[in-house]
Amino acid sequence: MSLQEILAEKKEWRKHMARVNALPRDYKVVYKEIQKYLFKVGPMELVDGIKPLSAVLELFEEGAARGDEVLTVTGKDVAIFCDQLIQDSKTYSDEYEDKVNQEVKKALDKEANKKNK
């Protein structure tokens, strides 16, 4: 990644966070919890951009503009909301599961080869 790409992403992030800070307080609180959740769960897309967070922000801006309470927008179980948001995204957990399965297959194949000798 070039320096210009890094600077462009940083500029995009600052604009994004300025929009977050313009949200009503309850929306900001929930947004920040969603952000923490997504960073911990680790959708791979967050490495290459802020697409899931941008979708949440747009949804929150629309909800706030209508005067909806934030939990009306997300539902009372915010973790389920987050999981549904990234259900089609590859996560670090998915990648680790794939790696474990590959290692298990490799180890079993190695053991099978030892038995056949």
Side-chain angles (χ1 to χ4, degrees):
M1 181 177 282
S2 73
L3 179 61
Q4 290 206 333
E5 290 172 324
I6 293 169
L7 293 174
E9 283 185 7
K10 206 170 194 179
K11 186 177 180 180
E12 180 185 354
W13 181 252
R14 283 192 198 117
K15 285 181 183 178
H16 177 86
M17 290 309 296
R19 288 172 55 201
V20 169
N21 289 325
L23 290 170
R25 182 157 171 67
D26 57 337
Y27 277 84
K28 279 192 282 194
V29 168
V30 174
Y31 174 89
K32 289 183 181 190
E33 289 303 316
I34 289 171
Q35 182 183 41
K36 282 191 259 182
Y37 182 90
L38 293 179
F39 284 154
K40 285 180 183 176
V41 170
M44 306 289 282
E45 292 173 353
L46 288 178
V47 173
D48 298 323
I50 56 173
K51 194 166 83 173
L53 292 172
S54 293
V56 171
L57 179 56
E58 288 175 18
L59 190 63
F60 278 17
E61 287 171 332
E62 292 168 9
R66 286 191 308 269
D68 295 342
E69 290 184 19
V70 67
L71 294 182
T72 301
V73 174
T74 61
K76 291 186 186 212
D77 193 329
V78 177
I80 288 176
F81 172 82
C82 292
D83 289 341
Q84 290 172 343
L85 180 70
I86 61 170
Q87 70 186 359
D88 295 328
S89 299
K90 186 162 180 79
T91 64
Y92 287 110
S93 177
D94 295 332
E95 187 173 271
Y96 187 68
E97 287 172 7
D98 291 345
K99 184 177 179 181
V100 167
N101 288 332
Q102 289 171 4
E103 292 298 318
V104 166
K105 183 183 181 322
K106 188 172 150 182
L108 290 174
D109 288 347
K110 187 176 180 179
E111 285 301 312
N113 286 337
K114 283 182 184 177
K115 285 182 182 179
N116 292 333
K117 288 183 178 183

